[in-house]
Amino acid sequence: MENRLKIALAQIAPVWLDKIATLEKVKKSIQEAADQNCELIVFGEGLVPGYPWWTSITNASAWDDKIQKEIHAHYARNAVQLEKGDLKEIQILARENKIAVYLGIIERPLDRGGHSLYCTLVYINELGEIRSVHRKLRPTYDERLTWSPGDGHGLQVHDLKSFRVGGLNCWENWMPLARTSLYGQGENLHIAVWPGSVRNTELITRMIAQESRSFVVSVGSPMRKSDFLTDTPHLDFILENCPDVLADGGSCIAGPDGKWILEPVINQEGLLIETLDFNRVLEERQNFDAVGHYSRPDVLKLQVDRKRQSSVEFLNQ
């Protein structure tokens, strides 16, 4: 049925700062979702290899600090490089099971020199093709100590059965113009990925749904003090001021009327599965459509630059 989409929210913790082990966990979740006939699976922000939790609980802004440099280097070594095929096995699994994937990664892209890190949301379609790589436009507060600002290249939507899906990272979802750039492309299933806390998802998920008259899926990852690996550089230092629970999950789904389909789930790890009915979008767009009949492009219009930024441009090649 083209109008119905079965979706899995993968509320799982990373194997923190271990790219290989976390990708294995991702593959296991994809296979589990496919075995339950899901057609889309969504993972949290920066799941591979994990969110930079140390920045908020250590003196991460200390200048030229050896400890901070060594933790950052460990993070960079475990970041994802798409150009080197780090997600190839995920792509194969998606194709074999005909399931689309939204996956949050920490990316170390070669087109920006191969050393700086970006918080990136990757969309892999049911054919196993990487269709968009969205680098977070503006890292939030202490995230700026380890992540670089992205660009508009990944502000794209994708057809999936009757739906058009698009996604943003964490507090990008608070950026009205970023949301509008997706609405304007016909988005009706909005994916919001988070490091993982109900305090982030419980209000904005329903707000975006009401504003856009779309389904909104928020996915976060639980993270506990016990999830830090023992071989993490300077682990004792990181754990000095670390709470027992850093993130409780908070994954949820709101319908196009802003009401809960799946209320936020906390302190639970695993797959959360729901089936969405596209007809609900058409029903709610009857009285409001932010970029359609309720817009005034003669008065207000958004301009978006989707060029992939690069520090170097080679001419006459």
Side-chain angles (χ1 to χ4, degrees):
M1 295 174 62
E2 281 295 307
N3 281 354
R4 298 177 73 82
L5 184 72
K6 193 171 185 181
I7 179 172
L9 288 62
Q11 183 164 286
I12 62 171
V15 182
W16 200 66
L17 303 199
D18 187 326
K19 174 176 62 178
I20 301 301
T22 303
L23 284 172
E24 287 300 316
K25 198 168 181 179
V26 167
K27 289 190 290 184
K28 182 179 178 181
S29 293
I30 293 173
Q31 190 61 62
E32 183 181 342
D35 290 344
Q36 297 185 62
N37 299 312
C38 293
E39 298 157 295
L40 171 65
I41 184 170
V42 182
F43 296 87
E45 181 188 38
L47 177 69
V48 186
Y51 186 80
W53 292 109
W54 79 89
T55 60
S56 62
I57 56 177
T58 67
N59 187 21
S61 63
W63 176 251
D64 208 26
D65 183 87
K66 181 65 171 173
I67 290 177
Q68 295 297 335
K69 287 182 176 181
E70 290 179 355
I71 298 172
H72 178 83
H74 179 68
Y75 197 37
R77 284 194 301 273
N78 279 276
V80 172
Q81 291 193 296
L82 299 176
E83 302 93 336
K84 295 187 176 181
D86 283 352
L87 297 188
K88 274 295 182 185
E89 292 184 13
I90 304 295
Q91 293 177 252
I92 292 169
L93 201 56
R95 183 179 69 246
E96 290 177 344
N97 290 280
K98 296 181 173 56
I99 184 172
V101 180
Y102 263 112
L103 177 62
I105 65 170
I106 303 308
E107 184 191 11
R108 186 155 65 96
L110 295 181
D111 65 13
R112 292 305 299 268
H115 301 96
S116 291
L117 305 182
Y118 296 80
C119 175
T120 296
L121 182 59
V122 177
Y123 178 72
I124 301 171
N125 68 11
E126 68 277 14
L127 301 177
E129 302 165 333
I130 295 178
R131 302 302 297 168
S132 65
V133 178
H134 175 54
R135 296 171 187 163
K136 190 173 185 177
L137 295 170
R138 175 60 62 190
T140 304
Y141 201 55
D142 50 289
E143 294 170 356
R144 300 178 195 181
L145 296 169
T146 191
W147 294 345
S148 309
D151 56 37
H153 185 269
L155 293 173
Q156 301 182 39
V157 299
H158 311 282
D159 291 322
L160 184 59
K161 299 180 76 173
S162 294
F163 293 84
R164 297 203 94 188
V165 298
L168 294 173
N169 295 284
C170 199
W171 271 25
E172 283 187 316
N173 290 286
W174 283 110
M175 298 172 71
L177 301 186
R179 296 196 305 269
T180 302
S181 73
L182 301 179
Y183 300 165
Q185 298 174 71
E187 182 192 64
N188 47 53
L189 172 52
H190 181 77
I191 305 299
V193 299
W194 308 86
S197 286
V198 68
R199 62 181 173 80
N200 282 321
T201 63
E202 62 183 345
L203 297 179
I204 195 171
T205 303
R206 294 183 63 200
M207 184 278 287
I208 295 176
Q210 289 176 306
E211 176 184 70
S212 64
R213 297 302 203 267
S214 298
F215 289 98
V216 178
V217 173
S218 282
V219 179
S221 303
M223 183 70 187
R224 300 143 299 232
K225 189 175 184 178
S226 58
D227 288 322
F228 288 94
L229 295 188
T230 56
D231 63 353
T232 302
H234 305 290
L235 180 61
D236 290 343
F237 175 65
I238 292 173
L239 296 183
E240 281 180 9
N241 297 303
C242 182
D244 289 335
V245 177
L246 296 102
D248 57 17
S251 299
C252 53
I253 303 175
D257 58 357
K259 296 179 181 178
W260 289 124
I261 292 174
L262 174 67
E263 293 191 27
V265 176
I266 63 171
N267 298 321
Q268 177 180 323
E269 187 166 0
L271 296 185
L272 309 168
I273 297 175
E274 295 287 342
T275 298
L276 310 181
D277 182 357
F278 173 74
N279 198 56
R280 294 288 296 113
V281 173
L282 298 180
E283 290 175 0
E284 296 305 320
R285 297 292 177 107
Q286 182 262 350
N287 57 27
F288 186 78
D289 185 350
V291 293
H293 65 76
Y294 220 91
S295 65
R296 283 293 304 276
D298 55 323
V299 180
L300 301 167
K301 187 179 292 187
L302 173 65
Q303 185 178 64
V304 180
D305 183 355
R306 290 205 308 196
K307 182 179 179 181
R308 177 61 90 203
Q309 293 179 4
S310 178
S311 300
V312 180
E313 182 177 358
F314 295 96
L315 303 178
N316 303 317
Q317 285 190 333

